[in-house]
Amino acid sequence: MRIFNSKTLRDIDIATCKAQQIDSLELMEREAQAVSYEIISRFLLSQRIVVIAGPGNNGGIALAVARYLIERGYSKVEIFLLNVHGRLSHDCDEERKKLLKMEADFTQVTRDFTPPYLGPEDVVVDGLFGTGLKESLQGGFVALADLINDSGAFVISIDVPSGLNAEFNENFLKRNMVHANLTLSFQLPRLAFFFEENAPVVGEWKLLDVDLDEETIRSTKSEYMMVNARSVRPLLRTRAPFSAKRDYGSALFFAGSLGMMGAAVLCARAALKSGCGLATVHTARSGLVTLQTAVPEALFEPDRNDRVISDMTLYHNHQAVAAGPGIGTQDPTIDALEGLLHNTKSPLVLDADALNCIAKRPSLLQHIPAKSIITPHAGEFDRLFGVHKHSEARLRKAVEMAKYYNIIIVLKGHYTATVRPTGMVCFNSTGNPGMATAGSGDILTGVITSLMAQGYQPEHAASIGVYLHGLAGDMASEELGEWGVTASDIADRIGRAIDNVMKGK
């Protein structure tokens, strides 16, 4: 699912009207119907609903929503149209005229505004400003946003919360925005929804299908997309009846150290659970009993050192190699990683302590093989590329670094962003807070490495792996509850996650 900027979305609206031979007012009615149906599905006819509309098309949608609610029997709908500059968009004015023809509690505000009482028992429909707003709310609109936010009412914002830019908001003050409990957007997500700092403003968000022209969407380029089952399914490969383990690749993991063998266990288990034919773990010699007991299906390759990994030489042929989970940052391990980076031309998967080792010796960034995948969380990313105070700045830096080093950056978070060297950013749509647990990242490393071993290109291995990892986590959470999910639970459900996607479940 592609993510477009506001200008492109307006172009898609225009193309939809042209392709379907409708006018913009008819499209507005379609959007208003979708919003009103969502409200009807959530609230009783006796619910007090206060609709606050602005002078643009977002306000027009809000007015149409109010009309639909009244027509369907909602008797406590109060409507306020703020038109302080005396200029309404054409479609907003048309919706105003429709409301004037019916008996409605409708107030047009042109100068002084005495706001209504709002309390925790009320619902507010925020149609003040949409994606056309290019700067923070000013003056009385800030006071109105404060009133809404302080009221405790359940706030439903149309398209985007008023005051929120649909793309980047680094220079916008969150306190000068309407804070929604629910944001109802149309068919395609807005980039702003994927940034952590905007979560208190956006609340829950939901996409409403308004039948935008699919051909136009397919033919319009975008630098951002959201990965879902529909985009992953065509990329997954079936397993041939006459096949053997060698057909599904061999993965090598430089993982674990004394006291951190669990990381090696988890990534090996995840690799095998996601279809890898062979998985080998190279780790400290002391890990023999742990690995052979916990993951008997994996091969064990002992390091000469009893406590840490001091050698990352590739002694055998493997289709994919990963380094990092639980290896620590001791000097012998950093030296070993440096040797691996200098002597390997094929893409690697680098996670966790491999990234911390590189952060201690930044010159190693220059030697990461092309198309390698690194999987940092925010802290690891900042250790590599400098401190970033905002997730938007971090994403922009990730795009810059992915291009510069010709690598794939999996920036982990609630909407994990897979950043390709081309500048394409793929946000993930699966996962839940229950996955914020020790070892979850090791599982992801195992899945991505397994997919690479099976012959998937690094770009696809990364985005598919992130999606399947999140889906398995969702399955675990559904069965065990968010508080009860462990990394092993995620690994155990990877196979079923793949099966469900392939079968369209």
Side-chain angles (χ1 to χ4, degrees):
M1 181 179 291
R2 297 183 185 183
I3 303 168
F4 300 107
N5 62 32
S6 298
K7 180 183 180 304
T8 303
L9 286 170
R10 286 192 291 273
D11 291 341
I12 291 172
D13 285 349
I14 293 169
T16 296
C17 292
K18 183 177 180 180
Q20 299 176 6
Q21 297 183 329
I22 61 175
D23 59 22
S24 59
L25 187 60
E26 189 170 339
L27 180 58
M28 179 178 286
E29 290 283 332
R30 190 184 295 174
E31 293 167 339
Q33 284 183 0
V35 172
S36 63
Y37 292 157
E38 186 65 29
I39 294 173
I40 290 167
S41 72
R42 293 174 182 247
F43 299 100
L44 298 174
L45 293 175
S46 58
Q47 176 65 53
R48 180 179 182 236
I49 300 175
V50 179
V51 177
I52 300 178
N57 284 355
N58 194 260
I61 297 170
L63 296 180
V65 167
R67 175 166 48 83
Y68 281 119
L69 293 177
I70 294 169
E71 289 173 348
R72 281 155 182 78
Y74 284 80
S75 59
K76 297 180 181 178
V77 180
E78 301 171 28
I79 309 134
F80 296 86
L81 171 59
L82 277 71
N83 184 21
V84 294
H85 298 297
R87 295 191 302 271
L88 298 178
S89 72
H90 173 271
D91 290 352
C92 183
D93 192 43
E94 290 300 310
E95 295 295 350
R96 179 188 66 88
K97 292 175 183 176
K98 292 178 183 179
L99 268 175
L100 291 174
K101 294 177 181 178
M102 63 190 307
E103 291 185 9
D105 189 349
F106 180 28
T107 302
Q108 298 184 63
V109 180
T110 56
R111 289 190 179 180
D112 296 332
F113 176 41
T114 302
Y117 166 79
L118 299 174
E121 69 282 358
D122 298 322
V123 170
V124 173
V125 176
D126 162 35
L128 196 56
F129 295 105
T131 58
L133 191 68
K134 299 303 180 185
E135 58 184 20
S136 295
L137 296 180
Q138 304 292 327
F141 294 120
V142 174
L144 181 55
D146 288 341
L147 173 71
I148 295 171
N149 296 339
D150 293 341
S151 69
F154 189 91
V155 180
I156 301 173
S157 287
I158 297 174
D159 209 5
V160 296
S162 292
L164 181 76
N165 186 283
E167 284 85 46
F168 294 102
N169 288 269
E170 264 187 285
N171 300 318
F172 284 55
L173 297 175
K174 300 298 185 294
R175 65 175 180 267
N176 291 350
M177 301 176 181
V178 172
H179 288 213
N181 299 93
L182 172 65
T183 298
L184 299 176
S185 204
F186 303 116
Q187 197 150 338
L188 299 165
R190 308 318 186 224
L191 181 60
F193 297 172
F194 296 92
F195 295 116
E196 179 182 355
E197 293 81 4
N198 298 336
V201 177
V202 176
E204 174 195 355
W205 57 272
K206 183 173 182 178
L207 301 179
L208 306 178
D209 190 354
V210 292
D211 194 27
L212 297 178
D213 186 60
E214 288 292 342
E215 179 58 36
T216 301
I217 292 172
R218 281 194 297 269
S219 62
T220 303
K221 294 182 179 179
S222 174
E223 296 177 343
Y224 304 97
M225 69 172 293
M226 183 173 71
V227 178
N228 55 21
R230 185 178 176 183
S231 52
V232 169
R233 189 177 302 117
L235 300 175
L236 291 173
R237 304 170 185 171
T238 58
R239 294 168 76 93
F242 292 92
S243 59
K245 61 190 174 187
R246 291 289 178 185
D247 296 320
Y248 301 109
S250 173
L252 173 65
F253 295 91
F254 292 106
S257 58
L258 185 64
M260 293 292 289
M261 283 301 163
V265 168
L266 290 170
C267 58
R269 181 180 295 163
L272 292 163
K273 290 285 189 179
S274 49
C276 184
L278 292 166
T280 302
V281 177
H282 179 110
T283 191
R285 190 175 295 273
S286 60
L288 172 63
V289 174
T290 300
L291 263 296
Q292 295 286 263
T293 303
V295 198
E297 303 91 343
L299 300 173
F300 179 79
E301 186 177 280
D303 195 90
R304 58 176 176 264
N305 193 301
D306 284 337
R307 302 175 65 87
V308 300
I309 295 175
S310 61
D311 179 20
M312 293 191 185
T313 304
L314 299 179
Y315 294 102
H316 305 284
N317 184 39
H318 302 280
Q319 282 67 55
V321 177
I327 64 175
T329 57
Q330 300 290 332
D331 285 341
T333 303
I334 300 177
D335 292 340
L337 180 63
E338 182 170 5
L340 176 67
L341 296 179
H342 278 287
N343 296 314
T344 304
K345 301 300 181 184
S346 299
L348 300 169
V349 180
L350 301 173
D351 179 38
D353 280 336
L355 305 179
N356 293 328
C357 288
I358 294 171
K360 284 193 166 189
R361 204 173 290 179
S363 61
L364 295 182
L365 277 169
Q366 300 286 347
H367 300 287
I368 297 177
K371 298 299 180 67
S372 289
I373 301 169
I374 69 172
T375 61
H377 56 57
E380 291 163 344
F381 183 89
D382 285 2
R383 283 193 282 276
L384 284 172
F385 302 116
V387 176
H388 299 80
K389 296 181 179 179
H390 198 283
S391 60
E392 292 179 7
R394 192 172 293 113
L395 181 66
R396 283 171 162 161
K397 187 69 171 182
V399 171
E400 178 187 344
M401 293 297 96
K403 290 179 179 179
Y404 182 79
Y405 291 110
N406 193 22
I407 58 175
I408 297 147
I409 300 177
V410 176
L411 189 53
K412 293 186 287 194
H414 180 54
Y415 297 108
T416 292
T418 300
V419 184
R420 299 178 179 177
T422 59
M424 169 67 76
V425 178
C426 302
F427 290 101
N428 189 46
S429 62
T430 56
N432 63 85
M435 299 176 70
T437 185
S440 180
D442 303 324
I443 302 299
L444 177 61
T445 297
V447 175
I448 292 174
T449 309
S450 174
L451 292 170
M452 286 183 63
Q454 293 173 63
Y456 290 85
Q457 292 300 309
E459 294 92 339
H460 290 159
S463 55
I464 295 171
V466 169
Y467 181 85
L468 294 174
H469 176 254
L471 182 58
D474 289 341
M475 291 176 173
S477 177
E478 185 175 346
E479 291 180 43
L480 306 170
E482 287 184 357
W483 286 263
V485 175
T486 66
S488 295
D489 297 325
I490 300 170
D492 289 343
R493 289 158 179 81
I494 292 290
R496 191 149 54 87
I498 297 171
D499 191 58
N500 283 2
V501 173
M502 296 193 74
K503 291 179 178 178
K505 292 184 178 179

